Amino acid sequence: MDPICSNELSRKMATSVGIMAMVLAITGTAYPAIYTYNVTSEGVIAEVMVGIFRATATVEDVSISTSIDCSEFDYAQYFSGDTDDSTCENALRAKCAAAQGLAIAGILAIATAIGLSALWNRSGLTAVASFIGSMSCVAVWAIFAQEVGAQFSASSGDCGISSLEPSFGASFFCFIVASVLSIIVSIISITSGASPSGYTSI
């Protein structure tokens, strides 16, 4: 295949895969379902869905949604009486803020990679931007993977919510797939070689 045509195909593939990654990253950020768990009070079961920026509680088909302010979110309400309340609550708030920042950073990095690929054909810079986007998405789902699997105990160094018996939601898997797709964009960009005009892209 002609190198110019091959590079053009690679550029289009990188752009298309990048768009899919960005859609998934945006969906994962916007949809409140990183993890879910049930809370029972006086015989009534509420399903709670927690996302990056919003949380939703559903009781008997009635849903209440609220935005998440990491600095004020009351984690300790679920673990009252634990001697590590203050320490672990602060740790969970820090993880919450980190996840929010990383989710936005990931979306911006992937969007930058798409622009570099589609508009300016800079394969090297596209690879770097998409790699940053991928690592941001990895960091988001890694934070919540640790949080869901760990106990609410500062003494163990974990500070998680496993005692609530949470399950991973759709948003969690959106970030996993987005991270994989972004790495694919990097690989395509790195292997694409020269730009259509014949010089090496940077």
Side-chain angles (χ1 to χ4, degrees), residues 37-111:
Y37 59 89
N38 293 329
V39 176
T40 302
S41 178
E42 298 180 354
V44 178
I45 300 176
E47 180 186 19
V48 181
M49 301 171 62
V50 179
I52 301 291
F53 288 98
R54 298 196 67 81
T56 301
T58 303
V59 180
E60 297 179 349
D61 298 327
V62 178
S63 296
I64 300 175
S65 182
T66 182
S67 60
I68 296 177
D69 183 342
C70 297
S71 64
E72 297 181 359
F73 198 80
D74 186 11
Y75 289 96
Q77 65 179 312
Y78 303 112
F79 309 98
S80 58
D82 193 299
T83 56
D84 296 324
D85 275 358
S86 178
T87 300
C88 272
E89 187 165 43
N90 289 334
L92 287 170
R93 286 174 174 171
K95 292 177 186 178
C96 171
Q100 289 185 345
L102 287 164
I104 296 300
I107 292 171
L108 293 176
I110 295 170

